[in-house]
Structure formats: structure tokens, C-alpha cells
Amino acid sequence: MSAPPAAPTSAQATDTGAGTTPAPAGGGAAAPALSHSIPPSRRMAAVIVLIPIIAALALWAFAWPNARTAPRDLPLGVAGPATATAQVERQLHQREGAFEIHHYADEAAARDATEDRTVYGAVVVTQAGPKLLTASAASPMVAQLLQQAVTQQAAEEGVRVMSADVVATPANDPRGSAIASSVLPLALAGTTSGAAVTLLVLRRGRAAAALVGAAALVGIVATAIADSWLGVLGGNQWAEAGVLSLATLAVGATVAGFAALLGRAGIGLGALLTVFLGNPFAGASTAPRMLPEPVGALGQFLPPGAGASLLRSVSFFDGAAALTPALVLTTWAAFGLAAVLLGDLLKRHPKPTERATAAPTPDPAPAH
């Protein structure tokens, strides 16, 4: 007959009770245990319900702005003597809320305003008839819209319209599709870099260096493709590379920063802001003033919209109106990098209450 098992010694009790190897916090066996604790029927129901909700939100974010595209307080210049421009202004005001009228003394002032990105175009009243100035590099859709609106009105009056594209799109990209197509790849590249830094457990200086290095290479490669190879950008290549790098860094640092502060859930939050909302709200294929309110304004304060606007300014307008989008991108990048550094420091230094709780209890004094 075998002897009963001996009672565990104090050392064995310590090994099996307190545990010499603590369970990993926030991962390891905890997540599988949590998933197995939920009945399979509830997990299946969650998938069935959540996927349509995500699809509906995606359709709202991507399809709704495009379905409601129309001019909303679109900056438009009117140049000429006040008595001559009065009729033109009345005709433009008939489209209530469509245009924000800016007055200029002559064609030269209207051209300067168009080149400075103060207005998208201008109607110049001359003795020979109206002359339309556009800037297709700012938005081919807006240039086409202005051409149709002014030409239609002039045709009803039997007047011929002269037109001039003050800042035109490159010959290799007459529809201006290149900048619109670059928004999503840059957002995805930045999101991937932020997620990779988090999942590879890079910390502090190494994480920041990885984000900056990846963004710099993305900017150089993207410029080589878009400018040198495709020829769809027209500015200084190093300035364009800097813009593309800053836009990528703003996205990547934001994703990594949220992850440093909130854990892996921060990756989802960063992707939501930059890809799910930032991409469709950027207005890169149309114009911010063509999107429903407040989507157009909101998009310019997110990295994709600010990046597209800054790239247009640097590539086609000699840096005009570049300050605001540059500040937006710099702010997001600085926030993300600071969160990567400070968030990790906060995790490394627990609060005094946590240290007191984690301190071992001293053994009681032996009895005499």
C-alpha cells in the first residue's frame, strides 16, 4: 500500500502559490482564457453584428462625403470696376452659399490671389467680355465647376468667355489624380510603421528613431516614383520628399503614440483617425470646401488632409499657404513622438501606491 503524498514544504508552497514566474500582464494566457470564457454562440453573434456596423461606418465615412460634393463658400475672386462686376456678383449669389466672393481691382491682383491660394479662381470683367482665371493644380474638379458655371451663364447672355489656367496640373497628370491617390498609401505606410514599432516592442529612443527613419525613406521613395519617374509633381524634389516624410511621420507617430498611452487598442484608435476618417475627409480628389460641413474643415486638421494640402502648395504654388498644414503635421508628429517617449517612462516608473502594493510582506518574527 503506497504512502499518502507528503504535504508540500514551505518552499514548494511558495513556488506554487506566489509563483516564481508571474503571468504576463495584458497578454499571454489571459487573452485566450477570456475568449474561451465567452460562449461560442455569443462570439458568433458578435461577429455577425459587428461586421455590418463596421461596413456601415465605412460607407458613411467614404461614400457620404463624395455623394454630397458641392461648392460651399468656395473662395472665388471677382475683378474689375465695381459698377462692372455688380451683375457678375448677383449671378454668383444666386447659388446661395456656393461662393465666397473676394473683390480685386484688376486681373493682375486676381492672378496673384489665385497663385497665393487665396482663391480657387476669379472672374475678370473686361470690355471684351468675362475672363475666367482658374488653377487646376489646386483642384481640377473646382476648375471644371467654375468653367461650367461661368460658361453656362455667359452662353445665356450670348457672350463668349475667355479662360486661362493660371496654375495648371502637370501634363502627365491632367486630372490631378496623383496627389489624391497618394493619400491612402501614405496613411497606410504611417499606420504600418506605428503598429510595427508597437508590436516589435521598440521603446523610447529606438522607437522614435525607427519612426523617423521609416518616414524619411518613405518620403524619398515616394518622391522618386511620383516626381522622377511618373513626372506628376512639379516642385523641388527635396522639399516634396520632406513633405511626404513629414506626413508619414505624423501618421506613424500618432499611431505609436496612442499605443504607448493606451496599449494595443491605441493602434486601432490611431488607424481610425488617420485611415478611416483622415483619408475620406482629406478632400484630396475634390477640395475641402466641396465636402459637407464640418467634414472638410475637420479633414484639414488630420494628417492625410494636411499632407495633401501641403504637397499641393510645395509642388505647384511655390510654398504658398503652406504654413497651416505644416503646423498641423508637425503638431501630430510631435505629439506622437512625445507620447512614445513619455508613455514608456510612465510604464517604467510605477506610482508609489503600486510599489507599496508590490512590496513583499516581511516574515513574522520567530516566537521565543
Side-chain angles (χ1 to χ4, degrees):
M1 185 173 181
S2 60
T9 64
S10 60
Q12 291 172 332
T14 302
D15 291 341
T16 57
T20 56
T21 306
L34 179 60
S35 63
H36 287 301
S37 66
I38 302 175
S41 59
R42 292 190 180 181
R43 281 180 272 158
M44 180 183 69
V47 172
I48 294 174
V49 172
L50 287 177
I51 296 303
I53 292 176
I54 294 174
L57 291 175
L59 284 173
W60 168 79
F62 284 84
W64 172 61
N66 291 325
R68 297 292 183 267
T69 298
R72 295 172 176 84
D73 293 327
L74 196 72
L76 177 64
V78 175
T83 55
T85 60
Q87 182 179 357
V88 174
E89 292 180 29
R90 284 196 300 269
Q91 294 170 349
L92 293 174
H93 282 306
Q94 289 177 359
R95 303 183 64 172
E96 186 175 355
F99 300 108
E100 177 185 281
I101 305 300
H102 296 245
H103 299 272
Y104 299 101
D106 50 27
E107 180 179 344
R111 279 181 175 270
D112 291 341
T114 305
E115 293 173 351
D116 292 341
R117 301 197 72 184
T118 304
V119 294
Y120 281 91
V123 180
V124 183
V125 179
T126 67
Q127 294 180 350
K131 182 176 183 179
L132 176 64
L133 306 179
T134 60
S136 58
S139 172
M141 177 177 285
V142 171
Q144 184 179 6
L145 181 148
L146 295 177
Q147 187 76 39
Q148 292 174 349
V150 175
T151 302
Q152 181 180 0
Q153 187 64 40
E156 295 176 357
E157 300 175 357
V159 179
R160 180 176 176 270
V161 178
M162 300 175 289
S163 61
D165 197 346
V166 177
V167 186
T169 54
N172 291 336
D173 186 29
R175 296 182 180 179
S177 303
I179 290 182
S181 301
S182 68
V183 173
L184 182 58
L186 290 177
L188 291 176
T191 303
T192 302
S193 66
V197 164
T198 302
L199 298 177
L200 294 177
V201 200
L202 296 179
R203 303 294 186 192
R204 301 174 67 180
R206 295 185 183 217
L211 292 169
V212 173
L217 289 178
V218 167
I220 293 173
V221 172
T223 303
I225 294 174
D227 199 328
S228 301
W229 178 34
L230 299 178
V232 295
L233 299 177
N236 180 275
Q237 293 189 11
W238 287 111
E240 292 166 351
V243 171
L244 295 171
S245 298
L246 181 59
T248 305
L249 177 61
V251 176
T254 298
V255 173
F258 278 131
L261 296 174
L262 306 176
R264 293 188 178 183
I267 298 177
L269 178 58
L272 173 68
L273 285 176
T274 57
V275 178
F276 200 87
L277 297 179
N279 181 54
F281 291 2
S285 60
T286 56
R289 295 290 185 96
M290 296 286 288
L291 300 181
E293 297 178 354
V295 165
L298 176 62
Q300 296 307 295
F301 289 98
L302 295 175
S309 181
L310 182 59
L311 185 59
R312 286 189 190 278
S313 293
V314 170
S315 297
F316 307 121
F317 293 89
D318 295 328
L323 179 59
T324 298
L327 288 176
V328 170
L329 293 177
T330 303
T331 300
W332 281 107
F335 156 76
L337 293 176
V340 166
L341 298 173
L342 299 179
D344 187 62
L345 289 174
L346 292 175
K347 290 180 181 180
R348 287 175 176 270
H349 298 283
K351 298 178 180 179
T353 55
E354 295 175 349
R355 288 198 295 266
T357 304
T361 304
D363 292 335
H368 296 287

